[in-house]
Amino acid sequence: MFEEGAVLKQRYGEENVFDLSLGNPVMEPPVEFKQELSRLAEHPLPGMHRYMPNAGYPETRAAVAAQLSLEAGINFTMKDIIMTCGAAAALNVVLKTILNPGDEVIIFAPYFVEYCHYIDNHGGVVRVLPTDEQFIPKLDALEAAIGAKTKAVIINSPNNPTGVVYTEDCIHQVGELLGKKEAQYRTQIFLISDEAYRKIIYDGLKYPQVWHHHPQSIVVTSHSKDLALPGERIGYIAVHPDCSQEGELVDGLIFCNRTLGYVNAPALMQNIVRHMQQVTVSVAEYQKKKDFLYDHLVKMGYSVVKPQGAFYMFPKSPLEDDVAFVTELQRWKVLTVPGRGFGTPGYFRISYCVDDRTLEGSLDGFQKAARKFNLS
Ligand SMILES: Cc1ncc(COP(=O)(O)O)c(C=O)c1O
């Protein structure tokens, strides 16, 4: 999509192509980021560009732990936190640490496609399970899929590509099921919660935390989206303080952060985000974009599950063949991604972390496609 978008923009001019295909936020980081950056430039810390412990600066880990304790209502300390090069590295470090060759990892479709590559990177076997029509995991399918080889279940809420936020009740039921299966197979099954979009949730929703529902929980997240810093590669892993053999697990995570070649998360970013744990980009801005696009699409006749977070929506494709529909939209210079790229054909993903001009400009193409395929 990236390549095709570049070709279209070259041919028709940047302003005439409405690119809703990438999860690359157009927002600038909050003002506090620039303040911290300037402060460090003007008053550099001695040794701030040197190697450090592989888990990250103790002060940064402690600041993350303090914020998580506030949000989650359980007591984290720096020993539960490993700073990483974004959520992508966090996922790779976790999978490298916990997987033996042939171990199974369960994911739910539609999914962030990189999960398949990351699991494969570390000798794991991907088990893809369906979700219901609201994109919520089906518990009976999960129950049937878990076996002696299941090492982990990855959930992602708010979800890329659907924008759906799982309820507390859903997470509770998943946790309960994992506990039951651990007892049945005498194994440890990790719940890996990918919370890259945790801070971007709408309508005053309170974020349902995994921590209260399964002690073998590991959260991976980053500041790519909540502070609009995807190019800076800064995130972290948090391990439940009650996870069994937590010390050994954390030692493994730190070792793998080193041996996968990340070594440590970027020093400059660690020194900055340490002071920004309570700061987030304007969620109201994203909510405005979401409401604008969702309302228009629904009026045009598109069938869309209302997103409650992140900056994506995942409408039903008016054509059974989602690739054909995305190609049609391209004729009107609107770029989206076919659902099959997320393991769910018959849908397409819209990313609305773009400027308002691009969103407004895309409406004409969506309207023409809706008329062509008799949506209303
Ligand atoms: C669901 C999900 N997980 C993880 C990532 C990776 O993010 P990061 O930039 O923190 O590596 C992304 C990025 O788009 C994502 O959408």
Side-chain angles (χ1 to χ4, degrees), residues 148-198:
K149 279 186 163 287
T150 307
K151 186 54 75 70
V153 175
I154 302 180
I155 57 172
N156 170 222
S157 163
N159 184 269
N160 176 7
T162 64
V164 161
V165 176
Y166 296 170
T167 61
E168 190 92 41
D169 187 48
C170 165
I171 295 170
H172 178 73
Q173 290 186 46
V174 169
E176 209 168 52
L177 184 55
L178 296 188
K180 191 174 105 181
K181 291 290 178 178
E182 285 181 329
Q184 180 183 342
Y185 292 108
R186 295 173 189 279
T187 52
Q188 198 180 22
I189 305 173
F190 293 98
L191 180 59
I192 303 173
S193 179
D194 177 350
E195 303 185 359
Y197 302 91
R198 181 173 80 226

Side-chain angles (χ1 to χ4, degrees), residues 9 14-21 26 289 292-293 332-335 350-366:
K9 284 171 197 169
E14 187 102 16
E15 68 287 0
N16 297 315
V17 177
F18 309 104
D19 190 349
L20 309 177
S21 68
V26 77
K289 292 177 194 291
F292 174 83
L293 191 61
W332 290 295
K333 322 282 182 307
V334 177
L335 309 185
I350 298 173
S351 174
Y352 56 86
C353 58
V354 296
D355 55 29
D356 289 344
R357 192 202 60 80
T358 305
L359 270 193
E360 285 157 17
S362 71
L363 292 184
D364 186 49
F366 282 123

Side-chain angles (χ1 to χ4, degrees), residues 23 85-89 91 112 115 118 156 158-160 194 196-197 221-225 230 233-235 312 349:
C85 299
L91 280 160
F112 178 53
Y115 292 155
Y118 298 163
N156 170 222
N159 184 269
N160 176 7
D194 177 350
Y197 302 91
T221 187
S222 78
H223 295 298
S224 292
K225 319 291 173 167
R233 314 308 306 138
I234 182 71
Y312 308 105
R349 188 191 76 171

